Amino acid sequence: MDDTFDEMYGSDRGPQITIKEADNTHAQIALSNCDLSFANAFRRIMLAEIPTIAIDLVFIEANTSVIPDEFLSHRLGLIPLDSANIDDKLVYTRDCVCDQYCERCSVTLTLNARCTSDVPMTVYARDLAVQAGAQCGQPVITDPEGLGTIIAKLRKGQEIKLTCVAKKGIAKEHAKWSPVSAVAFEYDPHNKLRHTSYWYEEDAKAEWPPSKFADWEDPPQEGEVFDYDAVPNTFYMDVESVGSMAPDEIMQQGIKYLQQKLMDVMKGLNGEDQMEDDGGLRSPGADGGDYQMGGMGGGQGYETPFGGQDGRTPYGGGYGATTPYGTNGWA
Amino acid sequence: MSFGDEFLDNLLPPQEEEGKLRVRVLPGEEPGSASFQIDDEDHTLGNALRYMIMKNPHVEFCGYSIPHPSESVMNIRIQIYPEYEEETRPVDALMKGLDDLRDLCDVVEEKFVAARDSFNEEQGV
């Protein structure tokens, strides 16, 4: 692709992206020369299918605040946690080899707060202590005071003591995993295509404020003839990040996961050959070889979920290579 | 390409069995036309894919639907022009659609990276 050619002469050869405005919380882009369906797919994927980290499990040791446990857990879940480059740092718990959760698939945060003064105390997201050595999952703090989201307020003598487990997930499952608070989406700011009709008292033009994208497109000429064949061509998006990821990463991840989706369906389409597919579908935990060696003395180096403390595996006897039918040295 | 017990497969809830086909042909397949059912997909893929397949000059019709909001499946119907029936099967059109959409993503990503870099450069100065 010859990008300089496109920049110099403009192009009708495929989609164009222009960034109008961007900082670390939001980005305004114009996506042109593409179809509504694609622009919408991009929007939907950014909203619902980019993985981030959010608190998913809460173990409450003490909660004497006025906020009930489930209310508190919900609030904790919604706190944005740093999810930059999460793909390199964390795996989904369901894909992990561990039994419940581990450092490979989760980040543990603890909260320990007690009010001892007569002044009511506010517990903020900054009071969440992330497990040592965590590469991600720090609460997102963007306010100048460095406090973060308010979790709860405590009166004298009240206490909150809990442990949270943050996991990787997508917003399709729960909105707390969404990297964006909103993705504004608009086309045809002057309503030249007449896809919408404005309600008005006397004059729609005078009563409706122009869209913030209005000056990015030419206003309609006086007495312009309506083009019945026109289709939307340029789409304006404003990606508002919740802070867990930079808008730039969100957009890039959006394209990546759209492609991932396509690859998955392609694989499903080619996956008619079951034998071929089985190898890929088996999770590392189900890897046959090692477990079968339990009876042959291969079990010493590790503990398996199947090979309980007595050293028996479902495949045979204990480590001593005896079978349930023979004498067992451990019994 | 054979699709054996698809009908029976369709009766089972999706994603419960490992190794089950994610893309199935719905009953009523004919040489130039077929409907496919894809598990765990929605409008995100459906509409973009439908548009892409419609762009294929061999395709007479392509439409998608989500039969019920509580079932996470998407149906997509493809009909090939009779004169191209020999050349292009509906599956080929589906595959081409996916492939084209992936290429589109590639271009968009490229354009995005370029736009971001030039924007950053402008801001930096």
Side-chain angles (χ1 to χ4, degrees), chain A residues 20-312:
Chain A
K20 299 279 182 179
E21 205 186 299
D23 56 32
N24 51 5
T25 56
H26 84 126
Q28 281 178 13
I29 62 160
L31 177 62
S32 48
N33 270 334
C34 89
D35 187 64
L36 175 60
S37 62
F38 180 79
N40 193 42
F42 187 39
R43 178 190 69 89
R44 285 177 63 102
I45 214 117
M46 286 193 288
L47 266 176
E49 295 182 49
I50 296 175
T52 61
I53 321 168
I55 291 170
D56 199 37
L57 285 172
V58 181
F59 302 102
I60 295 172
E61 217 173 294
N63 174 22
T64 50
S65 76
V66 291
I67 296 185
D69 292 0
E70 42 277 76
F71 195 155
L72 192 64
S73 309
H74 180 241
R75 288 181 70 79
L76 287 163
L78 294 173
I79 296 170
L81 304 178
D82 175 31
S83 310
N85 299 318
I86 188 190
D87 288 343
D88 310 328
K89 294 174 181 169
L90 223 60
V91 296
Y92 286 110
T93 307
R94 60 172 178 273
D95 295 335
C96 193
V97 286
C98 63
D99 258 358
Q100 284 182 50
Y101 53 85
C102 65
E103 313 86 75
R104 272 163 45 82
C105 62
S106 68
V107 174
T108 309
L109 300 98
T110 46
L111 179 64
N112 206 340
R114 175 197 274 277
C115 179
T116 47
S117 74
D118 287 328
V119 191
M121 173 189 162
T122 313
V123 185
Y124 293 98
R126 62 141 186 218
D127 301 321
L128 281 166
V130 188
Q131 87 190 34
Q135 286 182 294
C136 52
Q138 291 80 12
V140 170
I141 292 164
T142 47
D143 53 315
E145 292 83 26
L147 300 168
T149 323
I150 292 176
I151 296 170
K153 291 189 178 182
L154 303 178
R155 244 191 127 189
K156 192 175 186 178
Q158 294 179 346
E159 181 190 19
I160 290 176
K161 196 173 180 191
L162 46 83
T163 308
C164 312
V165 176
K167 292 180 182 175
K168 185 172 165 182
I170 59 168
K172 219 179 178 181
E173 186 180 337
H174 191 290
K176 68 186 176 186
W177 276 299
S178 185
V180 295
S181 48
V183 182
F185 185 90
E186 183 180 3
Y187 62 87
D188 188 26
H190 297 292
N191 197 26
K192 283 183 191 171
L193 304 171
R194 304 190 193 166
H195 283 192
T196 189
S197 56
Y198 292 107
W199 179 92
Y200 60 92
E201 279 182 4
E202 263 135 30
D203 178 18
K205 225 173 179 157
E207 289 159 33
W208 284 88
S211 148
K212 65 177 168 183
F213 302 107
D215 47 349
W216 296 0
E217 263 184 32
D218 296 330
Q221 293 315 109
E222 199 62 51
E224 195 179 295
V225 188
F226 177 62
D227 182 0
Y228 288 90
D229 296 323
V231 287
N233 179 62
T234 306
F235 305 92
Y236 304 103
M237 286 185 229
D238 191 341
V239 180
E240 284 174 40
S241 163
V242 291
S244 55
M245 251 183 219
D248 137 53
E249 193 186 341
I250 295 171
M251 288 190 274
Q252 224 166 353
Q253 290 281 86
I255 300 167
K256 182 182 149 190
Y257 279 98
L258 196 52
Q259 272 178 319
Q260 185 66 53
K261 200 183 243 303
L262 295 165
M263 298 295 285
D264 287 349
V265 176
M266 279 190 215
K267 228 163 78 189
L269 207 55
N270 291 325
E272 269 118 40
D273 195 355
Q274 288 282 311
M275 294 304 284
E276 207 179 272
D277 222 28
D278 268 353
L281 280 167
R282 189 174 293 145
S283 69
D287 193 7
D290 281 342
Y291 294 119
Q292 273 151 18
M293 282 166 64
M296 292 154 69
Q300 268 88 357
Y302 57 87
E303 259 179 39
T304 71
F306 309 113
Q309 292 305 312
D310 62 354
R312 260 180 224 150

